[in-house]
Amino acid sequence: MCKLNRLQELPSVDMFVTTVDPVLEPPIITVNTVLSLMAVDYPANKLACYVSDGCSPLNYYALVEASKEEYKLLSRNIEDAAKKSAALGFDLSGYVDDDDYDELLKQLGNSNEFIKSAGHALRGETGLPMNPSNSLDVAHQVAGSAYENGSSWGEKVGWLYGSATEDILTGLMIHTRGWRSGYCNPDPPGFLGCAPSSVLAAMIQQKRWITGQLEILFSKNNPISATLTANLQIRMCIAYLYVIIWGLRSIPELCYAALPAYCIITNTNFLPKVSANFNRI
């Protein structure tokens, strides 16, 4: 009974898998990541996995093919868990009141089912507000490119727009609201990534990172403003600044690295000469 109560107290968890280039990030890695997430030791009716792949047909095909085998068992487990959860009505008053509903409608878009799900989560209720097998059409609507028009997606909700490094910007805004991070380092490692396999790919990736970080630094959402006007802690501000000025640091670092070669060519020095007294010591 104690274990059952603890399971009921566990929160619902949304897991996001982001990938862009199926060449640099092969679909098999995406599929394995999704399978690993869906197989974690957590109540199946409290897990949801979302894949953002830039509308890649290769990733879509890989996930569909995987669903014919591995996902079949996982889907059955999710369905069984959903049936065991309490039956929930579809009256919006059961989730949010009229004022809250209007506010969620402005923020999250015009999908009633999605609003129900959001209200369900905000109330801290357990279980699923709808049967997973009936939510495919809703997911297709919400995933549409025009769904976010007129809503707060990209500004206050979800991944924030305005930077090529949307993960850093989104994390910064979460910390700005007063949230704190926890360091998780399991043994063995829970998930591993893949590095670029060529110099050109590495340069393109680093160029994207530097561009996105500088966009944050010179925007209204920079860490200094967040510390002065919001709830970002000073130590967190310093940590973010250390990361996002990475591109600017390359200028003095390059100059410093070129100094020895310059001194050899010009027969000069930029460090003080060693004195005779120092040699005797």
Side-chain angles (χ1 to χ4, degrees):
M1 181 62 70
C2 180
K3 183 177 180 180
L4 179 60
N5 291 335
R6 288 186 177 182
L7 289 177
Q8 293 176 347
E9 293 173 359
L10 291 174
S12 299
V13 177
D14 291 335
M15 302 175 293
F16 294 87
V17 178
T18 58
T19 180
V20 178
D21 193 333
V23 177
L24 298 178
E25 299 173 338
I28 186 61
I29 296 180
T30 303
V31 170
N32 287 337
T33 301
V34 173
L35 289 173
S36 298
L37 291 174
M38 298 300 292
V40 297
D41 186 14
Y42 204 83
N45 62 319
K46 295 187 177 183
L47 280 179
C49 183
Y50 304 88
V51 179
S52 174
D53 63 351
C55 299
S56 167
L58 289 177
N59 284 325
Y60 177 77
Y61 176 77
L63 290 171
V64 170
E65 288 300 308
S67 67
K68 295 178 180 178
E69 299 298 335
E70 288 88 349
Y71 280 3
K72 188 179 297 183
L73 178 59
L74 291 173
S75 299
R76 188 180 303 115
N77 291 339
I78 294 175
E79 292 286 351
D80 293 341
K83 292 177 181 178
K84 295 178 182 179
S85 60
L88 299 174
F90 286 91
D91 182 7
L92 289 177
S93 61
Y95 298 93
V96 291
D97 55 33
D98 293 339
D99 294 336
D100 291 336
Y101 174 74
D102 292 338
E103 183 63 25
L104 288 176
L105 195 64
K106 295 177 182 178
Q107 292 186 359
L108 305 181
N110 57 359
S111 171
N112 289 333
E113 290 78 6
F114 189 67
I115 299 299
K116 297 170 190 175
S117 176
H120 182 78
L122 291 174
R123 285 180 176 272
E125 299 176 0
T126 59
L128 295 175
M130 67 179 71
N131 194 312
S133 61
N134 298 330
S135 60
L136 184 59
D137 292 337
V138 177
H140 188 272
Q141 175 194 3
V142 174
S145 59
Y147 176 78
E148 62 189 30
N149 294 343
S151 67
S152 296
W153 287 104
E155 298 179 0
K156 297 180 180 179
V157 180
W159 294 104
L160 300 185
Y161 303 154
S163 171
T165 51
E166 70 287 340
D167 51 348
I168 297 179
L169 178 58
T170 303
L172 173 60
M173 290 298 99
I174 292 175
H175 285 128
T176 298
R177 297 174 183 174
W179 288 78
R180 302 182 66 179
S181 297
Y183 181 66
C184 181
N185 185 26
D187 185 21
F191 303 98
L192 300 177
C194 57
S197 57
S198 65
V199 176
L200 179 60
M203 292 179 64
I204 293 175
Q205 184 185 64
Q206 293 192 14
K207 177 184 176 182
R208 173 181 173 273
W209 286 348
I210 291 174
T211 301
Q213 291 164 1
L214 292 179
E215 287 172 341
I216 297 174
L217 180 63
F218 295 108
S219 71
K220 63 179 181 180
N221 296 321
N222 65 79
I224 298 177
S225 299
T227 301
L228 296 177
T229 62
N231 297 321
L232 187 67
Q233 297 182 0
I234 182 65
R235 290 181 297 177
M236 189 65 71
C237 173
I238 296 174
Y240 271 108
L241 286 175
Y242 177 79
V243 172
I244 65 178
I245 65 172
W246 174 39
L248 296 180
R249 294 204 311 266
S250 63
I251 299 175
E253 288 173 354
L254 179 61
C255 294
Y256 188 78
L259 277 176
Y262 173 80
C263 293
I264 293 175
I265 294 173
T266 60
N267 194 25
T268 59
N269 61 281
F270 67 97
L271 295 175
K273 293 183 178 180
V274 179
S275 64
N277 293 332
F278 181 80
N279 285 334
R280 285 197 296 270
I281 294 176

